[in-house]
Amino acid sequence: MSSDTLSRTGQSLVRTDGGNARYAVGIMSGTSLDGIDAACCSVTETGTNEEYPYEVTVESFVSEEYPMELRTRLVELCDEETGTVDETCRLNIGLGSLLADVATAAMNEAGVDPENVDVIGSHGQTIWHIGTQEELPGVGCPRRSTLQIADGSVIARKTGVMTVSDFRTADIAAGGHGAPLAPYLDATVFSDEEKHRSLQNIGGIGNCTLLPPSPGRNDVRAFDTGPGNMVIDAVVEILTDGEQTYDVDGEIAARGTPDESVIDRFMNAPYFEASPPKTTGREDFGHEYARRFIEAGRERGLDDADLVATATAFTAATIADAYDRFADPYPDEVFVSGGGAYNPTLLTMLSDRVACDVDRLSSLGFDPDSKEAALFALMGIARLDGRPNNVPGSTGADDPVVMGKVSLP
């Protein structure tokens, strides 16, 4: 749906074709720990697809980087050697307040009064994610587990808007991984009537959604392909003693030469062989993993540029390997979003390794920066409507479930 199909009447949004649209704000902070994204969206129920019955238009998008001191605290919190319970407690409340400010900025940017916003959907900041089932002594039934902080009650109170948060745990309670969540938006917005598509997000973690033509809920598959920018970013951060936190425009990697033997060595990790549904995170591919990656490269005589090039090629290799193993049928085209979409060296390496066309998501007329924030606006609306907003074929849940906990202002 394009913005020109909408008109404002007073302070409400009404579709010119007679359908009603609602405002929702989505907030996302990803595993790259780079900051907070918020999108103010209009969401319209179409009725044309019972399982994916919405159209979504991004009316405004704002992004705020984490202050360096806060980012450092979050990185430490996500490390099992340095994370503490008291710091988790403090940042759960503090981040809620910060996310509320970014949501308010998105509403202001769109010229929307909070009174006219139905819901804020907030992903929060992932601190830890355990994608394997574990049985706690004395508890019994094994479960996966996940933790996102930034309390929804704080967001609701500060913005005055009902807030839905903590989406992942309902899927985990239903036997799923609690991730990936992006397939709900992908199937709603990006499926094609004829082509098989992969929507490849390259954030801190890489994840893909495999969309057959005109999919139903049981037709969509998605899973984490492995590290996205996480290993690249950590390698750059370690090599520059923190002066750089990522490879700007892939410039360092472009100066180096990838070492295929190092890539092959790290491709032997059990995660890549495991069949979907599957999820991963910083606990598997964080700074300790990057340190081992650097050590392996130094043993091969790699300089800094070669190391970054090898880490970048490694990410491309994990994505291509995932398609080779698990994409059946193989996609006709791949559309990339996330921070990795702005790394031309990574995109070139990915194009060289996959057997189909690769393009940025922006080629479909959708701002890739706003995609994940828009997802949580949509998921918040679905929660209010009582509609299942997980995709069991992607998460491994036993059933479709309605995810998200409601906090009133």
Side-chain angles (χ1 to χ4, degrees):
M1 181 180 66
S2 62
S3 297
D4 59 8
T5 64
L6 301 170
S7 64
R8 285 186 173 81
T9 304
Q11 297 235 352
S12 64
L13 190 69
V14 180
R15 278 177 60 104
T16 55
D17 60 6
N20 292 325
R22 291 175 286 173
Y23 279 129
V25 176
I27 318 173
M28 176 65 190
S29 179
T31 50
S32 292
L33 300 172
D34 48 4
I36 304 163
D37 296 336
C40 184
C41 301
S42 56
V43 181
T44 305
E45 187 170 346
T46 65
T48 57
N49 185 323
E50 184 176 343
E51 294 180 323
Y52 304 108
Y54 301 104
E55 290 183 345
V56 181
T57 298
V58 177
E59 301 291 335
S60 70
F61 174 72
V62 298
S63 184
E64 296 288 342
E65 291 185 0
Y66 281 134
M68 184 55 68
E69 180 182 352
L70 176 57
R71 185 181 186 277
T72 299
R73 290 173 67 181
L74 287 169
V75 169
E76 292 175 350
L77 190 61
C78 295
D79 189 321
E80 61 184 329
E81 298 295 327
T82 55
T84 62
V85 175
D86 60 327
E87 185 74 340
T88 302
C89 184
R90 291 188 193 97
L91 290 179
N92 182 45
I93 299 299
L95 279 182
S97 180
L98 187 57
L99 266 61
D101 290 341
V102 181
T104 298
M107 290 184 278
N108 291 339
E109 182 72 16
V112 179
D113 192 296
E115 292 184 358
N116 295 315
V117 176
D118 282 53
V119 65
I120 293 172
S122 173
H123 173 266
Q125 178 65 65
T126 297
I127 298 304
W128 204 255
H129 181 86
I130 300 174
T132 55
Q133 296 199 34
E134 297 180 347
E135 184 168 342
L136 294 176
V139 175
C141 184
R143 281 284 185 267
R144 301 174 181 91
S145 54
T146 192
L147 179 63
Q148 287 75 42
I149 62 172
D151 189 79
S153 294
V154 175
I155 298 171
R157 178 71 179 182
K158 193 168 185 180
T159 61
V161 180
M162 181 188 302
T163 297
V164 180
S165 60
D166 200 14
F167 287 93
R168 297 182 184 273
T169 51
D171 184 86
I172 285 176
H177 284 251
L181 302 181
Y184 190 69
L185 178 74
D186 292 339
T188 299
V189 177
F190 301 115
S191 61
D192 187 75
E193 294 183 357
E194 298 179 357
K195 293 182 178 180
H196 291 266
R197 285 178 169 173
S198 174
L199 277 293
Q200 178 69 50
N201 181 65
I202 307 179
I205 293 297
N207 54 74
C208 69
T209 301
L210 302 174
L211 294 173
S214 303
R217 189 177 296 271
N218 294 329
D219 302 325
V220 179
R221 298 177 66 228
F223 54 92
D224 288 353
T225 53
N229 301 311
M230 186 173 289
V231 174
I232 305 169
D233 292 351
V235 167
V236 170
E237 190 168 1
I238 292 168
L239 294 178
T240 64
D241 293 324
E243 291 185 11
Q244 286 184 239
T245 57
Y246 68 102
D247 183 12
V248 180
D249 296 328
E251 291 179 354
I252 302 174
R255 297 196 300 267
T257 302
D259 188 302
E260 294 295 331
S261 67
V262 173
I263 294 170
D264 291 343
R265 172 178 170 181
F266 281 81
M267 285 299 302
N268 286 327
Y271 180 81
F272 302 119
E273 298 179 3
S275 297
K278 59 180 183 175
T279 52
T280 188
R282 189 170 293 275
E283 57 284 349
D284 292 326
F285 296 108
H287 275 66
E288 180 55 35
Y289 187 91
R291 283 188 280 270
R292 295 199 304 272
F293 196 95
I294 291 172
E295 289 174 4
R298 293 301 194 206
E299 291 172 2
R300 294 278 299 167
L302 303 187
D303 63 19
D304 287 3
D306 291 340
L307 280 167
V308 178
T310 303
T312 305
F314 175 62
T315 288
T318 63
I319 296 169
D321 179 71
Y323 294 167
D324 290 340
R325 291 178 189 267
F326 307 119
D328 185 18
Y330 202 91
D332 298 310
E333 49 193 10
V334 175
F335 294 96
V336 180
S337 61
Y342 295 99
N343 184 330
T345 307
L346 174 57
L347 292 186
T348 297
M349 290 178 174
L350 180 60
S351 296
D352 290 342
R353 290 177 183 264
V354 299
C356 63
D357 293 334
V358 175
D359 206 343
R360 293 182 175 89
L361 184 66
S362 55
S363 67
L364 295 178
F366 197 97
D367 177 9
D369 290 343
S370 67
K371 178 175 180 275
E372 289 188 293
L375 163 67
F376 289 96
L378 173 63
M379 293 185 70
I381 288 288
R383 171 63 182 87
L384 295 192
D385 291 346
R387 284 197 170 95
N389 48 7
N390 70 333
V391 180
S394 301
T395 66
D398 298 330
D399 307 290
V401 294
V402 181
M403 298 185 295
K405 298 174 183 177
V406 176
S407 299
L408 301 178

